[in-house]
Amino acid sequence: MQKVRIKFHIERKNYSWQIIYKYFEKLVNVMTKPQDIDVMKPTGQEFPKEKYDELEAFINNLETTKGALIEILHKAQEIFRYLPRDVQLFIARKLGIPGAEVFGVVSFYSYFTTKPGGKHTVSVCMGTACFVRGADKVIEKFKEVLGIESNETTEDGLFTIKDVRCIGACGLAPVVMVDGKVYGRVKVEDVDGIINTYRKQEEQNADKVLR
Amino acid sequence: MQIKSLDELYELRQESTGKIALRLHMGTSGNAKTIMVCGGTGCLASDSDKVIKNLELIIKARKLEGTSIVRTGCFGFCEQGPIVKIEPDNVFYVRVGPKDAKDLVDEHLMKGNRVERLLYEDPQKNEKVHTQEEMSFYKKQSRVALRNCGLINPEDIYEYIALGGYEALGKALTQMSRDQVIDIVKKSGLRGRGGGGFPTGLKWEITKSQQSNVKFIICNADEGDPGAFMDRSILEGDPHSVIEAMAIGAYAIGANKGIVYIRAEYPLAIERLNTALRQARELGLLGKNIFGTDFSFDITLKYGAGAFVCGEETALINSCEGKRGEPNYKPPYPAEEGYWGHPTCVNNVETFANIPVIMTKGAEWFATMGTEKSKGTKVFALAGKINNVGLVEVPMGITLREIIFDIGGGIPNGKKFKAVQTGGPSGGVITEQGLDTPIDYDSLLERGSMMGSGGMIVMDEDDNMVNIAKFYLEFTMDEACGRCGPGRIGTKRLFEMLHNITAGKATMADLDALKQLAYMIKDSALCGLCQTAPNPVISTMKHFWHEYVAFVKDVDHPRGEGRYTPKNKIGMKS
Amino acid sequence: MEQDNQCENKKTLNIQINDQKLTVPEGITVLEASHEAGVKIPTLCHLDLHDLQMYNKTASCRVCMVELLDPKNNRNKLVPSCVTKVQDGMAVRTDTIRAITARRMAVELMLSNHPNECFTCPKNLECELQSLAEELNVRQIRWEGERMVYPKDMSSDAIVKDANKCIYCRRCETGCNEVQTCGILSGIGRGFNAFVGPFANIPMVESSCTYCGQCVQVCPTAALTEAFHTDKVWEAINDPDKHVIVQTAPAIRVALGELFGMEAGTIVTGKMVTALKRMGFDEVFDTNFGADLTIMEEASELIYRLKNNKTLPILTNCCPAWVKFIEHQFPELIHVPSTCKSPHIMLGTIAKTYYAEKKGLDPDNIVVVSVMPCIAKKAEAKRAELTKDEHNNVDIVITTRELGAMIKEAGIEFERLPDSEFDNPLGETTGASVIFGTAGGVIEAALRTAHEWMTGEKLEKVEFEELRGMEGVRRATVKIGDQELKIGIASGLGNAREILEDIRDGKADYHAIEIMACPGGCIAGGGQPYHHGNHEVVKKRREAIYEEDRRKKVRKSHENKEILELYKKYLGDPFGDMAHELLHTHFEERERI
């Protein structure tokens, strides 16, 4: 929802009431929007014990846990694919540090995710080189085709769009990476094709299961 | 085997020379050939791995003996990747697809004919060029930090040793005092390549002078500058030079633990670095009593997790400690109080990569390159609206014009050059008038930009500069840690104002306020990231004021690229 | 980069601030030097409570920027004065247009992301951001734009968290994590959306927050405040069916005056009682009565545990924040604290039993209101075991600040009020109970009684000087007869953690330990008038507490006539069956989040 507000601008050097009245008349859209709060509810999803065991073994094998939080979170994300609340608490207890500290770190770094992503991650490089070669149009197209914003997952759980920092393939700009596969010199027209490749793959897999 | 003296290293070098003889054109043995295939991220992305696989299969099928395939690091000419070079014939192939493997083997290797269609075509002269040396992209370069990238197999320590690797470390440990090491680095005039340009020797000296039994040396490989990838290329192409330099630095400052803080988004660099570390340990070049001296040193890796601000050294140290990567106020500098409160020396990858050569070739040799206050070379990542995208290493003091037009091959599609952004989101734009300034740390600062880590984005007449400023501000706004008010709210407001301007909703008073805010943030933000964040705005306002005014006055303003869609980071984080 | 000079003797340095030339000791900051010079530099995130070892040096608000002059290189620059150390020959100007503009814009920016609802804000006229805006002459907010919009967290009975008002100064984080070591709060998110909150941004009530309120005490804005319950009090007072009893904690009487412009440390007991009576409370009782009762029970329990070789040490548990702390952080030590209820709960219980019987009142129609220096007491009164059978021991808890607001609301001119006395019988108190308000007081009061009971001799000198002091952890040995009692006193939960770790690891040989969650005790509680970083205020309140003790004729709890009467007529023996039923409670192990 966008609120309409009256925007006051008073030029510091020139206190003219006329100017103020002028602004009074000029209604400006202000980008005020309710924020989606990241209150993490318990997911209710139970993870198999082996996964926790694997994480625990990793922590136990560390030379020292002092300062190893980020390392452990990397490992946890590798094991669980994301960092649900329970896993964060598990790590906090294991290390004997407050949960808030773990969450503070998780929420600081963009590499860590607290929601399960889609089966395929479409990462659009938003580095400068890609930007000046039209990456913004490419990502818009992906959003349009999939009907989601960046960092969101499609309803069927297949795709997540991410805008990522420079992945260093500037020579191929603009670059899109789907899972590990890099697509270089992507044009807006290519987007449908890329998505369809993966959609088809899924259909084939589904067919196999049916047979 | 463990190397316990310099002589043992020399022996090993002797033994290994054979491995790279072909590449150095040191005597040919019959029909032996080496095929070098670029294994940098850029070329891998365009299937250089498959090229290697196909080459192997075909060579095996043709039963060609004496032909070896080497997966090297980045050649730098990413625009033309994947790149294949065949030695000792010195033929440089570009854009080699997996299907081209057959021709390479059948034509070049079997018959000795160059495959013309895979040769680079000089766009100015419209003729095929087959050697690296003849290509305008390489002509003006002098590769110091990148000396081994695209030459050796980064996963083979013997190749590095064959090229004189670890000699600098051996000499430093066995023949030099700590002060002598620092002295050489100081005399060389090497300055920090991560952006700040602080004299490296001085940093080492300060760290050395701290009274403490525990010290650390950290390699900053958290390369976050969008459009800069030289650190990654060095780590992927020549990891041993960084390891060796860290050991030298550690010896000089009195540290015996080193950390490489590397982006988790660089899996290949991490893998190669790990391989290199393992090999160095196996040869006793890391670990206890290196070169038989009482100096012990080892390196661990710490992974970043996606935060640009961690490139700032205090933030980096916080992140190494497993905390939120927020910067601290300096002083105390890390050299005084760093990792877990101990004196810590933080240097950038490229800085380190220069050290071993400086030690072996001498400070004087290094100081012959560059300008009075900025010695040596600098690697730039050339990208944007330019023909030859890639990594270039040039001596300081070269002009931007030479880089962009001679090396970079000018602007594609016959468009006009408009501006070049150096220093990434911390730098500013330089226009046509500035193209002939010899570039070094100070001249760039004078022009309202900065060296930064070496990103160089070229823009042509189609690019709207307000949009460019907005793009950079969006980046810093997203990456600002939020610790200080000007950084947290200021960058947001700057971005919003720029957005309003491009949306045609701003007034001239807004432009004034924008300027005031930009200078205020520059003045009072906590760390380098946000202090330099307004630079794109300030410099574009200086050079392209009319484009700002055009938006406000609503007269036929240049159509900009890019459209802002508000993002909601915390809520939608997934 | 400056090299550290490792000098033992502190040198003096010559510096210049504005036009003044000064000689200052090495190692101080520009801010401190300016203070010496009589130059005021505004601050916001800076907090220096050296008595508590609480320093917030994030240098993040950028409100204290001054211009560091370097005319030679033409490189004047702005530096934050709160963390910039003086250097020899340094020249600083605090009054240049560049510095002043930067400071004003720093506040302007914060206001642009602040719900500017000062009129209705609980911190109106107490807000440090608000006064800065006035001080720095902010007359406009030029940047309209996106604002943080987070819902208010009203989940707990004690603390309200309004993240939209968070200016990210991190004082609360320092207080919670470094001083109190609870680790509930952390910076969350990054960049514009960053704010301070608990794990996974869960409601405070789900976190292991102790509600000690130290975060509230240091928060410069209203991002963290107590939950307000004044309306409920007015409602009860105006309900003709209800018999409304109010009780005031010992620390209120030495701090309430501050809210009416009185000097810190002014004792306003009489005026406070008058005000409460004028507000319409039916009876004005004194929590000190409950404190005396607590001593009777605690001293008995101590002697019982000593004689019968039961768990030692005994830990006092008058402080609900501390109780919650041990439940969350040291569940394995849950059997160590005394089982006594806290003083105001005891008084509430007695009011609804003994007093109700005596007066012939239906306990259900009695409303007990506690005025506490504390936020945690709000949550304590709602604890399940203290509200069982839908029968609250204490119904409403308000803080000192809330009482001040109610007095103002009622139009009472506090400064001009005459004195009056507490009502009987639950207003009869001793000096021993007054010192409950400061750290070390509970144990001193208990020893006054235990000493006489154990030795059978009269204690002539009631002041135990060895138990008094501002340190966070104080260890003392007190000789009682032929027995030497090892006493530990910790105020501040960080200090408590030290002692608890020793106990857990079997390293401690204490007999009795007093722990208060707030550094300095209840006088520095989270519900007290804001000290705004000035710890002298707390020291003055402490002096006043001891002064009030000295003024009392009866200074030992077991000599309180009404207490003795209560035991004789109703409770039986201290630590006896009836006392157990009414005056003791239990704790439970809780999860640490």
Side-chain angles (χ1 to χ4, degrees):
Chain A
M1 188 189 75
Q2 285 211 323
K3 283 184 191 166
V4 176
R5 277 203 203 165
I6 298 164
K7 188 177 182 188
F8 275 98
H9 271 289
I10 305 167
E11 210 169 351
R12 251 190 184 276
K13 294 174 205 152
N14 186 1
Y15 278 95
S16 152
W17 281 104
Q18 279 170 345
I19 290 182
I20 298 170
Y21 282 123
K22 206 179 91 196
Y23 291 125
F24 234 112
E25 287 157 16
K26 190 174 178 186
L27 297 176
V28 182
N29 278 341
V30 176
M31 291 169 287
T32 302
K33 60 185 184 339
Q35 218 135 30
D36 186 4
I37 296 284
D38 203 20
V39 178
M40 289 179 64
K41 302 239 165 64
T43 48
Q45 187 186 355
E46 289 284 320
F47 289 99
K49 192 175 168 294
E50 299 84 70
K51 290 197 170 187
Y52 282 107
D53 287 345
E54 192 186 342
L55 182 59
E56 188 162 17
F58 175 80
I59 297 172
N60 290 340
N61 283 335
L62 287 175
E63 212 172 287
T64 167
T65 56
K66 188 185 173 195
L69 179 57
I70 293 178
E71 217 174 322
I72 293 166
L73 289 171
H74 271 299
K75 183 74 188 175
Q77 183 155 310
E78 190 188 313
I79 297 172
F80 294 91
R81 282 186 57 227
Y82 69 110
L83 295 169
R85 175 186 157 134
D86 295 343
V87 172
Q88 290 182 41
L89 265 188
F90 176 83
I91 293 170
R93 297 211 171 116
K94 186 76 195 156
L95 301 184
I97 56 175
E101 193 180 327
V102 177
F103 183 67
V105 170
V106 169
S107 64
F108 186 86
Y109 295 98
S110 53
Y111 194 84
F112 296 131
T113 133
T114 54
K115 286 176 199 157
K119 199 165 174 191
H120 304 288
T121 309
V122 180
S123 309
V124 183
C125 177
M126 293 301 270
T128 323
C130 293
F131 176 81
V132 296
R133 289 194 178 185
D136 50 332
K137 288 179 195 130
V138 173
I139 196 167
E140 283 306 318
K141 182 72 183 174
F142 270 107
K143 288 176 185 171
E144 189 192 314
V145 170
L146 295 175
I148 49 173
E149 284 298 309
S150 65
N151 289 329
E152 285 180 1
T153 305
T154 48
E155 266 177 35
D156 54 9
L158 278 186
F159 297 99
T160 303
I161 302 182
K162 281 196 164 183
D163 45 357
V164 295
R165 295 195 297 159
C166 183
I167 50 178
C170 306
L172 304 171
V175 177
V176 173
M177 203 161 77
V178 183
D179 303 331
K181 166 97 180 129
V182 177
Y183 295 86
R185 302 193 180 94
V186 178
K187 294 185 201 73
V188 175
E189 302 89 78
D190 302 339
V191 170
D192 281 311
I194 295 173
I195 293 295
N196 284 338
T197 324
Y198 291 89
R199 285 242 166 91
K200 262 187 204 142
Q201 234 176 49
E202 288 305 317
E203 278 162 22
Q204 281 164 2
N205 289 347
D207 281 353
K208 268 181 211 160
V209 174
L210 284 177
R211 275 174 214 160
Chain B
M1 125 166 215
Q2 298 260 315
I3 296 170
K4 280 293 160 218
S5 69
L6 207 49
D7 288 338
E8 284 177 36
L9 181 78
Y10 288 144
E11 267 170 45
L12 195 63
R13 185 199 292 183
Q14 214 61 47
E15 288 165 23
S16 315
T17 322
K19 286 197 154 194
I20 55 156
L22 289 178
R23 273 169 266 171
L24 298 180
H25 309 161
M26 300 193 315
T28 47
S29 51
N31 261 341
K33 304 258 193 267
T34 300
I35 308 176
M36 296 148 75
V37 184
C38 178
T41 296
C43 287
L44 279 180
S46 21
D47 287 337
S48 76
D49 247 6
K50 279 188 193 153
V51 175
I52 294 181
K53 214 171 173 186
N54 286 358
L55 281 172
E56 275 169 355
L57 285 173
I58 299 168
I59 286 171
K60 210 172 169 191
R62 305 282 188 274
K63 299 202 170 72
L64 276 176
E65 279 182 21
T67 305
S68 54
I69 299 174
V70 181
R71 190 165 83 162
T72 66
C74 182
F75 280 81
F77 206 0
C78 307
E79 175 77 31
Q80 299 290 335
I83 284 164
V84 173
K85 195 176 172 186
I86 299 181
E87 291 285 16
D89 308 353
N90 194 16
V91 180
F92 195 89
Y93 291 112
V94 298
R95 299 214 175 173
V96 181
K99 284 176 193 153
D100 300 323
K102 190 167 167 287
D103 281 357
L104 282 182
V105 177
D106 290 349
E107 289 295 318
H108 189 127
L109 294 183
M110 308 276 285
K111 298 183 189 155
N113 303 329
R114 291 200 287 264
V115 186
E116 287 292 321
R117 68 181 164 88
L118 295 176
L119 290 176
Y120 175 70
E121 188 182 300
D122 193 306
Q124 264 118 31
K125 295 181 208 149
N126 283 334
E127 58 189 43
K128 296 276 181 184
V129 182
H130 73 274
T131 65
Q132 203 170 342
E133 291 72 28
E134 283 173 73
M135 292 162 66
S136 53
F137 180 74
Y138 288 106
K139 260 185 199 161
K140 290 203 171 175
Q141 292 199 43
S142 42
R143 306 187 75 150
V144 177
L146 298 175
R147 62 195 176 281
N148 292 333
C149 290
L151 180 60
I152 61 165
N153 175 2
E155 294 178 6
D156 188 348
I157 190 171
Y158 297 105
E159 292 198 3
Y160 180 70
I161 289 174
L163 278 169
Y166 288 104
E167 184 188 354
L169 175 63
K171 278 192 176 158
L173 291 185
T174 54
Q175 296 167 4
M176 286 186 211
S177 72
R178 294 164 58 191
D179 285 321
Q180 278 172 319
V181 174
I182 291 177
D183 209 45
I184 291 182
V185 179
K186 271 173 87 175
K187 271 195 193 138
S188 74
L190 177 66
R191 291 169 69 173
R193 296 291 192 246
F198 192 83
T200 307
L202 188 57
K203 207 179 214 176
W204 286 15
E205 192 173 42
I206 293 166
T207 322
K208 179 186 172 276
S209 69
Q210 301 295 316
Q211 304 286 324
S212 171
N213 294 330
V214 186
K215 289 179 191 176
F216 292 94
I217 191 159
I218 295 184
C219 172
N220 181 352
D222 186 59
E223 184 175 53
D225 197 344
F229 51 95
M230 61 285 298
D231 292 351
R232 197 203 56 207
S233 284
I234 292 172
L235 289 172
E236 283 175 7
D238 191 15
H240 284 289
S241 68
V242 176
I243 295 173
E244 182 182 2
M246 283 180 76
I248 295 169
Y251 169 70
I253 65 168
N256 29 43
K257 274 195 186 128
I259 294 169
V260 179
Y261 183 86
I262 185 167
R263 280 179 72 181
E265 293 95 325
Y266 284 175
L268 186 64
I270 291 172
E271 191 193 310
R272 294 204 176 144
L273 199 53
N274 269 323
T275 313
L277 286 173
R278 203 186 58 238
Q279 291 170 344
R281 281 187 202 116
E282 277 166 11
L283 289 183
L285 297 167
L286 283 179
K288 289 218 164 94
N289 303 93
I290 301 170
F291 280 102
T293 64
D294 55 5
F295 173 69
S296 303
F297 177 69
D298 210 337
I299 295 174
T300 47
L301 296 193
K302 292 261 180 189
Y303 306 118
F308 178 64
V309 66
C310 290
E312 202 280 342
E313 50 186 2
T314 54
L316 181 144
I317 288 170
N318 277 336
S319 185
C320 281
E321 293 174 0
K323 299 178 192 155
R324 289 165 63 81
E326 293 178 6
N328 291 344
Y329 180 72
K330 294 189 281 193
Y333 289 90
E336 300 152 341
E337 252 177 64
Y339 189 56
W340 297 118
H342 302 294
T344 304
C345 181
V346 183
N347 287 123
N348 165 270
V349 173
E350 194 190 330
T351 315
F352 276 129
N354 278 304
I355 299 281
V357 232
I358 292 177
M359 300 298 293
T360 44
K361 294 197 180 172
E364 293 73 21
W365 165 80
F366 190 78
T368 55
M369 292 179 289
T371 60
E372 192 199 336
K373 284 186 176 167
S374 307
K375 300 291 182 196
T377 59
K378 176 79 190 92
V379 184
F380 289 100
L382 209 48
K385 303 281 182 62
I386 189 151
N387 274 317
N388 301 339
V389 170
L391 216 52
V392 303
E393 183 168 358
V394 287
M396 298 268 192
I398 195 173
T399 62
L400 279 169
R401 190 181 299 280
E402 286 173 277
I403 298 182
I404 294 166
F405 290 96
D406 297 348
I407 298 174
I411 316 296
N413 308 327
K415 298 271 173 150
K416 247 179 82 190
F417 167 84
K418 186 169 191 180
V420 56
Q421 168 97 7
T422 65
S426 312
V429 293
I430 291 173
T431 55
E432 183 77 41
Q433 292 99 32
L435 280 184
D436 291 315
T437 356
I439 47 170
D440 60 24
Y441 290 98
D442 310 288
S443 67
L444 284 176
L445 271 181
E446 269 166 37
R447 300 222 152 244
S449 183
M450 64 185 281
M451 184 73 84
S453 58
M456 195 173 270
I457 309 287
V458 181
M459 282 154 283
D460 69 9
E461 52 190 314
D462 287 349
D463 291 309
N464 180 276
M465 300 317 280
V466 187
N467 270 317
I468 296 291
K470 197 175 92 176
F471 167 78
Y472 279 114
L473 253 299
E474 184 171 8
F475 177 81
T476 27
M477 174 186 81
D478 279 350
E479 293 297 337
C481 70
R483 188 179 178 114
C484 72
R488 182 177 71 249
I489 310 168
T491 53
K492 178 91 177 174
R493 298 291 175 247
L494 268 187
F495 171 74
E496 285 171 347
M497 292 181 99
L498 287 168
H499 173 62
N500 283 344
I501 290 169
T502 52
K505 287 179 191 162
T507 61
M508 289 305 282
D510 287 342
L511 292 190
D512 251 9
L514 178 74
K515 205 183 234 173
Q516 219 182 355
L517 181 61
Y519 279 104
M520 179 265 181
I521 295 173
K522 197 178 165 79
D523 255 359
S524 53
L526 176 70
C527 79
L529 169 61
C530 286
Q531 279 166 6
T532 55
N535 280 352
V537 180
I538 292 172
S539 78
T540 51
M541 277 187 125
K542 188 172 155 201
H543 296 296
F544 298 96
W545 175 250
H546 57 279
E547 294 192 5
Y548 283 84
V549 176
F551 273 121
V552 174
K553 297 264 159 102
D554 213 22
V555 283
D556 197 30
H557 56 71
R559 283 259 312 126
E561 290 179 20
R563 190 167 62 83
Y564 168 65
T565 33
K567 266 189 290 182
N568 190 345
K569 278 286 165 176
I570 189 162
M572 295 200 267
K573 191 164 175 282
S574 60
Chain C
M1 231 181 272
E2 274 296 311
Q3 294 182 31
D4 259 0
N5 287 318
Q6 302 249 329
C7 286
E8 285 299 315
N9 299 328
K10 284 222 164 160
K11 289 192 298 191
T12 54
L13 306 172
N14 294 313
I15 62 165
Q16 185 175 348
I17 293 179
N18 296 348
D19 296 321
Q20 295 185 54
K21 291 202 159 55
L22 298 169
T23 307
V24 295
E26 196 182 11
I28 69 169
T29 62
V30 172
L31 181 69
E32 286 159 338
S34 307
H35 189 71
E36 293 292 307
V39 175
K40 189 172 179 196
I41 301 175
T43 58
L44 184 55
C45 67
H46 174 75
L47 190 69
D48 182 354
L49 295 175
H50 45 269
D51 291 328
L52 312 182
Q53 257 97 59
M54 177 169 178
Y55 306 99
N56 195 53
K57 297 218 164 176
T58 50
S60 61
C61 69
R62 317 312 272 181
V63 166
C64 66
M65 302 302 276
V66 295
E67 192 161 346
L68 186 63
L69 304 183
D70 186 5
K72 261 187 226 153
N73 302 317
N74 194 20
R75 280 177 77 176
N76 292 3
K77 61 173 182 182
L78 295 186
V79 293
S81 60
C82 65
V83 287
T84 305
K85 295 257 161 66
V86 289
Q87 281 164 21
D88 206 25
M90 186 185 233
V92 167
R93 284 211 82 94
T94 66
D95 54 1
T96 60
I97 182 84
R98 190 175 170 196
I100 289 174
T101 314
R103 297 200 287 245
R104 185 174 52 223
M105 281 174 80
V107 173
E108 194 181 338
L109 278 176
M110 273 180 232
L111 293 177
S112 78
N113 184 30
H114 198 80
N116 297 326
E117 48 178 46
C118 297
F119 304 127
T120 50
C121 177
K123 284 293 271 287
N124 192 16
L125 302 183
E126 285 274 13
C127 173
E128 292 176 37
L129 184 62
Q130 190 186 36
S131 33
L132 264 182
E134 188 266 340
E135 217 172 286
L136 298 178
N137 199 17
V138 181
R139 287 291 174 268
Q140 56 175 344
I141 301 166
R142 279 168 294 176
W143 344 101
E144 284 277 1
E146 194 175 317
R147 290 183 179 174
M148 291 201 292
V149 186
Y150 292 112
K152 239 187 202 180
D153 177 2
M154 315 249 281
S155 59
S156 81
D157 296 306
I159 286 186
V160 175
K161 185 167 75 66
D162 187 352
N164 299 332
K165 290 178 181 166
C166 178
I167 55 159
Y168 213 50
C169 68
R170 318 295 278 277
R171 281 187 190 178
C172 52
E173 224 187 304
T174 309
C176 188
N177 299 349
E178 283 167 31
V179 179
Q180 300 293 66
T181 68
C182 296
I184 307 306
L185 297 174
S186 164
I188 294 179
R190 185 170 80 193
F192 184 72
N193 292 316
F195 65 101
V196 177
F199 170 71
N201 199 17
I202 49 175
M204 290 298 276
V205 71
E206 287 175 29
S207 73
S208 24
C209 177
T210 65
Y211 306 123
C212 70
Q214 284 304 300
C215 55
V216 174
Q217 191 58 258
V218 294
C219 180
T221 67
L224 288 157
T225 54
E226 69 266 51
F228 294 93
H229 295 121
T230 52
D231 285 352
K232 281 188 184 172
V233 179
W234 286 126
E235 206 177 294
I237 289 176
N238 287 292
D239 188 338
D241 297 334
K242 301 287 185 198
H243 183 80
V244 189
I245 292 170
V246 67
Q247 55 167 324
T248 61
I252 313 292
R253 62 206 67 184
V254 295
L256 184 62
E258 291 165 30
L259 295 171
F260 300 94
M262 294 178 177
E263 185 75 7
T266 314
I267 302 171
V268 292
T269 321
K271 286 185 169 41
M272 175 182 73
V273 175
T274 314
L276 289 168
K277 286 185 173 166
R278 289 197 183 174
M279 281 161 70
F281 287 106
D282 295 308
E283 297 286 345
V284 181
F285 290 151
D286 195 349
T287 308
N288 292 10
F289 180 88
D292 279 331
L293 201 51
T294 306
I295 291 302
M296 298 294 282
E297 291 299 315
E298 243 168 34
S300 308
E301 192 178 349
L302 173 63
I303 294 168
Y304 169 80
R305 288 202 195 180
L306 280 172
K307 279 189 181 154
N308 297 295
N309 286 331
K310 297 274 178 188
T311 315
L312 278 175
I314 186 170
L315 298 177
T316 66
N317 65 339
C318 306
C319 172
W322 140 242
V323 166
K324 201 148 180 290
F325 181 76
I326 198 172
E327 285 179 332
H328 286 291
Q329 312 272 346
F330 292 89
E332 64 274 23
L333 296 180
I334 204 81
H335 57 285
V336 186
S338 150
T339 56
C340 294
K341 287 180 181 174
S342 72
H344 82 122
I345 300 285
M346 279 198 185
L347 189 132
T349 315
I350 296 300
K352 289 189 176 176
T353 51
Y354 170 69
Y355 172 78
E357 228 168 79
K358 199 168 165 179
K359 289 268 171 167
L361 292 166
D362 177 359
D364 281 350
N365 280 336
I366 296 180
V367 175
V368 179
V369 178
S370 300
V371 184
M372 295 286 132
C374 184
I375 291 175
K377 298 268 185 199
K378 284 175 180 275
E380 182 197 22
K382 296 279 181 272
R383 281 175 72 106
E385 68 274 16
L386 299 178
T387 55
K388 60 184 171 204
D389 315 325
E390 293 172 11
H391 185 76
N392 299 333
N393 292 343
V394 167
D395 299 272
I396 309 168
V397 177
I398 57 171
T399 60
T400 317
R401 295 190 293 263
E402 284 174 276
L403 176 61
M406 290 179 76
I407 293 173
K408 283 179 190 163
E409 207 180 345
I412 295 168
E413 280 194 64
F414 190 77
E415 309 86 304
R416 294 170 61 185
L417 288 178
D419 289 351
S420 22
E421 295 286 324
F422 283 107
D423 292 320
N424 265 333
L426 309 186
E428 179 70 37
T429 61
T430 67
S433 56
V434 173
I435 54 174
F436 263 59
T438 178
V442 177
I443 209 81
E444 181 173 338
L447 287 178
R448 287 180 191 177
T449 295
H451 189 279
E452 291 203 354
W453 281 355
M454 286 166 74
T455 59
E457 291 163 14
K458 189 168 163 57
L459 182 67
E460 290 302 334
K461 188 174 179 307
V462 295
E463 281 113 350
F464 288 79
E465 291 296 340
E466 59 271 42
L467 302 177
R468 297 184 175 185
M470 269 306 221
E471 311 90 318
V473 181
R474 193 169 178 85
R475 298 179 177 84
T477 309
V478 175
K479 207 162 174 189
I480 296 186
D482 49 3
Q483 194 159 11
E484 281 195 344
L485 287 190
K486 287 206 169 167
I487 308 294
I489 297 166
S491 73
L493 292 172
N495 300 317
R497 181 181 290 275
E498 262 178 47
I499 286 198
L500 284 176
E501 275 167 354
D502 283 353
I503 296 175
R504 186 188 60 197
D505 304 341
K507 285 191 218 151
D509 55 350
Y510 299 105
H511 293 98
I513 296 170
E514 176 201 303
I515 297 182
M516 290 293 164
C518 295
C522 304
I523 41 169
Q528 291 281 61
Y530 296 110
H531 56 60
H532 294 298
N534 179 5
H535 213 247
E536 291 306 308
V537 171
V538 175
K539 287 184 188 158
K540 285 183 183 157
R541 290 178 196 160
R542 183 186 178 85
E543 283 310 308
I545 285 271
Y546 285 125
E547 174 60 28
E548 180 87 344
D549 170 33
R550 280 192 290 277
R551 284 185 195 174
K552 288 274 182 184
K553 278 190 198 123
V554 184
R555 299 178 69 184
K556 296 163 203 155
S557 297
H558 60 284
E559 289 173 4
N560 183 330
K561 278 189 311 226
E562 292 293 340
I563 291 278
L564 296 175
E565 177 92 356
L566 169 67
Y567 274 104
K568 201 166 127 197
K569 288 203 173 146
Y570 193 77
L571 290 174
D573 288 329
F575 209 53
D577 288 346
M578 183 73 167
H580 255 289
E581 171 73 25
L582 290 181
L583 304 182
H584 289 254
T585 180
H586 62 271
F587 312 115
E588 56 185 275
E589 295 179 13
R590 286 173 205 267
E591 208 182 19
R592 184 182 179 196
I593 289 181

